[in-house]
Amino acid sequence: MANNHENILYFETEFDYPLIVKGKGIYLYDEDGKKYIDGCAGSISTSLGYGRKDMAEVLSKQAEEISFVHRHHVSSKICNEATDTLKECFPTMDKFFMVSGGTEATECATKLARLHWYHKGKPSKNKVIGRWMSYHGYTTDALAYGGNPGRRKEFSAILREDGHIIPPYCYRCWASKEPESCSFECAKALEDQILAQGPDTVAAFICETVVGTTMGCVTPPDGYYQKIREICDKYDVLMVLDEVMCGSGRCGTMMAIEQYGVVPDIVALAKSMGGGYFPIGCVACTKEAAKPIEDAGGFPVGHTWAGNPIASAVVKKTLEVIKEEQLLDNCTKQGDHLRKRLDELKDKYPFIGDVRGKGLMQAIELVKDKATKESYPRSEKIAEKVFKECMANGLIIMTSVNMDKGQKGDAIMMGTSFDVTTEEIDELVDILEKSLVKVFS
Ligand SMILES: Cc1ncc(COP(=O)(O)O)c(C=O)c1O
């Protein structure tokens, strides 16, 4: 453990973490000067390249002017300005509540849904139905409505069970359908679950619009979210989307759901909206979702750093940069290029079963047999081997494992900051190909 520090509780005790001392654009540099492409933007989190002077200036200027206020007593001008920018970027949403990360955002989103019904005089409507293989954060409630079997396992005894539905995983359909025979059984499962739980007990349904690490960029088919919206409306269930990873422009639109032509009631955002320069999260909702809570006197949820001035300044600047530098278009352009290069790898190699994703959030699923879609036994740790080989070759990617009902499956995910160039994507894919060939040879 050359770099590992004795006082840190590491994610993986046995892993020798490179010690990063500098970042520039999509590149990271360790203490020995080794250069890495950050091919997964941290954890599909940073939207602006590293080392930007304009972002550093915004941080330092705001810290000098006013670094902290508490929302119970005062408000700040910069928070108002950031919220105006949020409204411009997310025009279908009306009310915004800024927090410090993705888990806080999903927790606040589901609390907002529960409070909505509480103040409408229906306190029994407090269940949050989730979707298997969607991840919403690591707090107890987020793990409960979350559907990542691996992350829930150790805490299962303390997780509230409000029900989960099957995911829209077309590559290995849980309803045993093919695209030709599919009539959105996975979406209709929501109706069955609401009925079984009792519509009078269900406050909301939550899922990741495009699934992140739990499945490796699973992208539901067109029509899926229309069906989900219809079912939510039919039973007075609020539709809550987790766009912590896929939102804020990563898929080429400010919200990934825009590409499905559906407006949710509540959205949780984080990661990319802070550029990668400050911890940030945000709950956005329609005025109808917020109204009962506002009528009852306000949103009582705590969180000391909610609406923090520095976070607000960073969000405002990040969203401005995304607009000024036309980074949504670049996400689509470079995402298409990445996808094309990954599709070429799929045609060339027998171990790539599926390529999927939207914009700069793309994944490949690695299989033992392309024809039968058979996965490698998990004991072979294929995704981890690819990760380590890429790392040795100067590329950081993300692994996604056990997407096949929490039992098996290997995928790797890629997605850089939004200001990536075509040449940089080519460099990333070239290193990836070299690493894959080594692992599978
Ligand atoms: C979709 C999704 N929701 C929620 C979270 C939790 O966010 P955070 O780690 O910022 O608390 C994550 C984190 O990766 C995520 O990908």
Side-chain angles (χ1 to χ4, degrees):
M1 295 212 294
N3 291 319
N4 291 1
H5 198 283
E6 60 184 358
N7 298 332
I8 293 181
L9 192 52
Y10 282 98
F11 180 66
E12 256 185 63
T13 321
E14 294 302 318
F15 187 67
D16 187 10
Y17 292 91
L19 197 60
I20 299 302
V21 291
K22 186 179 153 63
K24 192 75 197 155
I26 65 158
Y27 299 100
L28 293 171
Y29 299 84
D30 72 14
E31 57 174 349
D32 302 320
K34 180 172 172 181
K35 183 177 170 185
Y36 302 82
I37 295 180
D38 186 352
C40 56
S43 57
I44 317 281
S45 303
T46 64
S47 51
L48 305 181
Y50 298 116
R52 287 183 67 122
K53 274 212 161 52
D54 54 355
M55 294 306 291
E57 278 163 16
V58 162
L59 278 157
S60 99
K61 182 169 170 280
Q62 190 58 51
E64 217 177 319
E65 273 174 16
I66 175 65
S67 59
F68 187 90
V69 295
H70 195 246
R71 69 187 273 269
H72 289 191
H73 316 127
V74 291
S75 189
S76 71
K77 193 163 169 279
I78 187 66
C79 184
N80 290 355
E81 288 171 12
T83 313
D84 290 344
T85 311
L86 283 165
K87 176 65 190 164
E88 273 168 38
C89 293
F90 300 90
T92 55
M93 297 291 111
D94 303 301
K95 299 281 173 177
F96 301 87
F97 179 65
M98 277 187 278
V99 287
S100 305
T103 312
E104 279 186 17
T106 67
E107 281 256 359
C108 284
T110 51
K111 287 207 172 70
L112 202 144
R114 285 169 164 143
L115 283 170
H116 171 96
W117 295 113
Y118 182 88
H119 289 305
K120 262 190 163 170
K122 296 185 178 176
S124 67
K125 272 176 93 64
N126 62 58
K127 290 182 186 169
V128 176
I129 294 175
R131 194 170 73 189
W132 285 118
M133 317 310 292
S134 248
Y135 175 66
H136 306 299
Y138 220 77
T139 53
T140 308
D141 209 25
L143 284 173
Y145 50 74
N148 182 315
R151 292 180 188 168
R152 289 166 52 97
K153 196 172 61 191
E154 291 100 338
F155 305 100
S156 58
I158 54 164
L159 301 185
R160 179 181 151 124
E161 289 295 348
D162 288 355
H164 292 81
I165 65 166
I166 61 174
Y169 183 24
C170 299
Y171 184 60
R172 302 176 192 279
C173 176
W174 287 28
S176 307
K177 297 286 171 183
E178 296 297 330
E180 310 77 56
S181 62
C182 161
S183 42
F184 297 114
E185 282 75 7
C186 53
K188 287 182 187 158
L190 178 60
E191 181 158 27
D192 295 339
Q193 187 62 239
I194 293 171
L195 289 169
Q197 295 287 345
D200 287 347
T201 71
V202 181
F205 167 65
I206 185 169
C207 65
E208 283 179 77
T209 312
V210 175
V211 186
T213 329
T214 310
M215 301 201 89
C217 304
V218 161
T219 309
D222 288 342
Y224 172 83
Y225 282 113
Q226 273 87 352
K227 195 82 215 153
I228 292 285
R229 180 73 268 182
E230 274 168 40
I231 296 166
C232 286
D233 290 344
K234 185 170 170 189
Y235 294 100
D236 271 348
V237 167
L238 293 174
M239 180 175 175
V240 181
L241 291 179
D242 179 345
E243 296 225 356
V244 165
M245 186 179 276
C246 64
S248 308
R250 178 150 297 279
C251 292
T253 43
M254 284 314 289
M255 291 196 288
I257 194 66
E258 290 168 40
Q259 296 176 40
Y260 291 89
V262 167
V263 177
D265 300 296
I266 305 172
V267 184
L269 298 152
K271 294 187 184 259
S272 296
M273 76 165 18
Y277 285 81
F278 205 75
I280 180 69
C282 177
V283 188
C285 69
T286 60
K287 51 181 176 306
E288 292 79 15
K291 188 167 187 308
I293 297 164
E294 292 188 314
D295 288 350
F299 192 42
V301 171
H303 300 307
T304 303
W305 284 74
N308 174 262
I310 300 178
S312 301
V314 169
V315 166
K316 179 172 180 270
K317 180 69 183 173
T318 301
L319 296 174
E320 283 168 2
V321 171
I322 289 175
K323 191 173 170 196
E324 280 157 20
E325 299 183 9
Q326 298 173 344
L327 295 182
L328 288 186
D329 291 346
N330 203 49
C331 272
T332 304
K333 182 177 163 205
Q334 303 306 341
D336 287 350
H337 183 63
L338 175 59
R339 177 58 168 267
K340 181 175 142 287
R341 294 279 329 258
L342 296 176
D343 280 333
E344 285 164 7
L345 295 186
K346 182 183 165 205
D347 292 341
K348 198 164 159 189
Y349 297 109
F351 48 77
I352 301 181
D354 195 26
V355 180
R356 55 189 180 238
K358 274 190 189 293
L360 281 173
M361 188 174 162
Q362 299 285 339
I364 58 177
E365 187 168 333
L366 303 162
V367 289
K368 194 168 178 186
D369 186 322
K370 208 167 185 160
T372 63
K373 303 181 184 175
E374 183 191 347
S375 304
Y376 280 90
R378 202 68 276 292
S379 56
E380 291 200 26
K381 293 195 177 297
I382 287 293
E384 291 87 339
K385 282 181 187 156
V386 174
F387 168 81
K388 283 184 183 153
E389 187 58 32
C390 284
M391 187 73 119
N393 292 324
L395 168 66
I396 305 175
I397 44 132
M398 242 172 133
T399 58
S400 167
V401 298
N402 286 332
M403 70 287 301
D404 190 1
K405 301 198 178 86
Q407 302 301 314
K408 53 187 179 347
D410 296 85
I412 54 170
M413 289 170 64
M414 284 135 294
T416 60
S417 51
F418 302 175
D419 40 12
V420 67
T421 65
T422 306
E423 293 69 35
E424 288 167 342
I425 293 283
D426 284 334
E427 194 186 352
L428 182 164
V429 179
D430 290 345
I431 301 179
L432 174 69
E433 180 173 12
K434 178 176 143 190
S435 309
L436 286 167
V437 168
K438 176 88 187 293
V439 169
F440 287 94
S441 59

